[in-house]
């Protein structure tokens, strides 16, 4: 290329709103392009297709996406890929907070839906705080067990109450019968005494 087209390239970059490195000037139309010395002329050349804005270079994400997909499956996480200490990568405190939130959310949900009363809620809340349940499943099993025990206790207490009431009624009947009997005996004794006289 004998003619320097620096002015045209600069004007074209201004017109097409890009950098000079993105401007392509048709090497077969050098003479015509070199005649253009204004933005108006450059616009005409752009319209004719002698000056083109090059497309952006592609920076493929394919490999990065593949790597991320593998990472989601748990690949590339061995000892050689780890930089921070275990506590730095996933602090014990964060795990504790997550667990507490899960357990407390479950407890409050059960209390609102009347599955557990406020007394059992409070007991279980303190047990959760004391690190007694390692996950939600264990807590749910404990709740079911506690409810079953409570129901059994209630049934047994009701049965005992019924038995006590029955025994009391029997005792009362017995005492009434005894009183009646003793009353009859006294009447008979009086009658005998009267006859004797």
């Amino acid at each position: 290329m004998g003619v320097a087209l620096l002015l045209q390239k600069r004007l074209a970059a201004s017109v097409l709103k890009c950098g000079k490195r993105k401007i392509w000037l048709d090497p077969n139309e050098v003479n015509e392009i070199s005649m253009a010395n204004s933005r108006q002329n450059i616009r005409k050349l752009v319209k004719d297709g002698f000056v083109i804005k090059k497309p952006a270079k592609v920076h493929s994400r394919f490999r990065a996406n593949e790597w991320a997909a593998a990472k989601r499956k748990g690949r590339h996480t061995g000892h050689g890929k780890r930089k921070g200490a275990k506590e730095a990568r996933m602090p014990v405190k964060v795990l504790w907070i997550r667990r507490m939130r899960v357990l407390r959310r479950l407890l409050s949900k059960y209390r609102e839906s009347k599955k557990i009363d406020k007394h059992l809620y409070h007991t279980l809340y303190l047990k959760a705080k004391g690190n007694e349940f390692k996950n939600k499943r264990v807590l749910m099993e404990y709740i079911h067990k506690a409810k079953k025990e409570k129901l059994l206790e209630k049934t047994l207490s009701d049965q005992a109450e019924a038995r006590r009431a029955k025994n009391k009624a029997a005792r009362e009947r017995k005492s009434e019968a005894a009183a009646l009997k003793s009353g009859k005996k006294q009447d008979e004794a009086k009658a005998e005494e009267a006859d004797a006289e």
Side-chain angles (χ1 to χ4, degrees), residues 31-47:
N31 292 332
E32 197 169 333
I33 291 170
S34 66
M35 300 295 284
N37 60 359
S38 68
R39 283 180 170 74
Q40 191 64 45
N41 295 350
I42 294 291
R43 281 196 197 93
K44 187 174 182 305
L45 292 173
V46 169
K47 196 177 174 187

Side-chain angles (χ1 to χ4, degrees), residues 73-166:
K73 285 182 183 173
R75 317 285 186 265
H76 318 293
T77 52
H79 289 296
K81 291 287 175 191
R82 300 179 198 171
K83 284 284 188 183
K86 188 179 179 183
E87 183 69 11
R89 286 163 64 83
M90 179 44 70
V92 171
K93 185 176 179 181
V94 169
L95 294 172
W96 170 264
I97 289 168
R98 281 184 193 166
R99 179 149 56 106
M100 280 302 102
R101 284 179 181 169
V102 166
L103 297 178
R104 287 173 182 177
R105 203 177 299 127
L106 179 76
L107 285 175
S108 58
K109 196 170 83 175
Y110 271 24
R111 184 179 59 178
E112 280 165 25
S113 61
K114 299 283 189 291
K115 284 186 181 176
I116 57 175
D117 61 352
K118 63 180 182 179
H119 305 293
L120 184 57
Y121 167 86
H122 187 63
T123 309
L124 295 176
Y125 188 97
L126 294 178
K127 280 185 186 297
K129 188 182 180 183
N131 197 20
E132 200 156 313
F133 312 114
K134 70 172 181 178
N135 55 35
K136 202 158 89 168
R137 181 178 54 78
V138 174
L139 175 58
M140 285 166 82
E141 282 172 9
Y142 188 95
I143 289 170
H144 292 314
K145 195 173 160 193
K147 283 173 79 176
K148 203 178 281 182
E149 280 175 10
K150 201 172 180 186
L151 196 67
L152 184 66
E153 212 174 273
K154 191 175 185 299
T155 310
L156 290 173
S157 68
D158 288 350
Q159 284 174 357
E161 187 64 43
R163 208 178 299 117
R164 276 198 295 273
K166 190 179 171 188

